Amino acid sequence: AIQLTQSPSSLSASVGDRVTITCRASQGISSALAWYQQKPGKAPKLLIYDASSLESGVPSRFSGSGSGTDFTLTISSLQPEDFATYYCQQFNSYLYSFGQGTKLEIK
Amino acid sequence: QLQLQESGPGLVKPSETLSLTCTVSGGSISSSSYYWGWIRQPPGKGLEWIGSIYYSGSTYYNPSLKSRVTISVDTSKNQFSLKLSSVTAADTAVYYCARSRRELTGDLSYYYYMDVWGKGTTVTVSS
């Protein structure tokens, strides 16, 4: 099974900061990676799919990059509503796995 | 607008079978562009994919749960269901159902991404 490792596990930042979260896959997955945002008590929300495609309705301050084993999620200018937990997810041969999550907190 | 709603018992006894249903409204479960799946999240922990099903009945399961999981679909009711047998306290979690949308990538591969989620239902395993 393909494992995803996110870093950091937690992150403190301020409104307006530029933030980057990384996700590393245990083997190459081409571009089959998504990023989700989850707020407390809510279901996850798809932000980025196919490593770098922005989901409809998601603000353009979110961007994704990478291919193969190394991927990043960048938030260009943090807004108050962006403080949440972020998960990467891979899709390979119709099986999925998630990273362990990155909790983004207000500094 | 497509909506998914999980339903089922909130309390299950150890060693019994957990059964949940996801009802799809605002769209058809019988579309060739989507898979339908279950994901869970233990209290204070991360997300774990359980399994997925196509409207035709083709299934894929998390290898770590495969021996205990059955996912089925009822296209006439626009529903799909999860059964997890021999549950223990470790199966206590919020259970989500989700739609996975098909995307054609630059290398002409199809990948599926979970774009619509239910609100989740809490299942506690306890005697």
Side-chain angles (χ1 to χ4, degrees), chain B residues 26-75:
Chain B
S28 173
I29 203 171
S30 300
S31 169
S32 60
S33 298
Y34 306 106
Y35 267 80
W36 307 88
W38 291 95
I39 304 92
R40 69 180 183 179
Q41 185 169 36
K45 296 188 177 181
L47 301 165
E48 180 179 36
W49 172 69
I50 301 171
S52 299
I53 191 165
Y54 196 54
Y55 76 94
S56 64
S58 297
T59 52
Y60 297 91
Y61 299 133
N62 186 326
S64 69
L65 298 169
K66 188 174 183 177
S67 64
R68 298 194 292 131
V69 174
T70 301
I71 297 176
S72 58
V73 63
D74 187 335
T75 55

Side-chain angles (χ1 to χ4, degrees), chain A:
Chain A
I2 296 175
Q3 296 187 359
L4 297 178
T5 303
Q6 287 182 233
S7 60
S9 296
S10 64
L11 175 61
S12 294
S14 301
V15 172
D17 284 354
R18 179 183 181 89
V19 167
T20 296
I21 300 169
T22 66
C23 179
R24 175 163 289 178
S26 59
Q27 65 188 72
I29 56 171
S30 186
S31 63
L33 189 105
W35 290 95
Y36 297 84
Q37 177 193 68
Q38 187 180 33
K39 296 182 179 180
K42 300 294 186 181
K45 173 187 176 182
L46 178 64
L47 301 175
I48 301 287
Y49 64 93
D50 202 31
S52 60
S53 295
L54 190 67
E55 178 69 353
S56 177
V58 174
S60 59
R61 62 181 180 272
F62 291 92
S63 65
S65 65
S67 182
T69 60
D70 294 309
F71 302 86
T72 60
L73 172 70
T74 300
I75 309 172
S76 60
S77 178
L78 274 174
Q79 297 302 300
E81 61 268 29
D82 299 337
F83 292 94
T85 300
Y86 293 84
Y87 294 92
C88 58
Q89 177 209 50
Q90 67 82 27
F91 172 81
N92 180 267
S93 299
Y94 293 88
L95 304 182
Y96 295 93
S97 58
F98 290 90
Q100 81 277 17
T102 296
K103 187 173 184 179
L104 180 53
E105 299 175 305
I106 301 175
K107 184 183 288 184

Side-chain angles (χ1 to χ4, degrees), chain B residues 11 37 50 74 105 125:
Chain B
L11 181 64
I50 301 171
D74 187 335
T105 65
V125 178

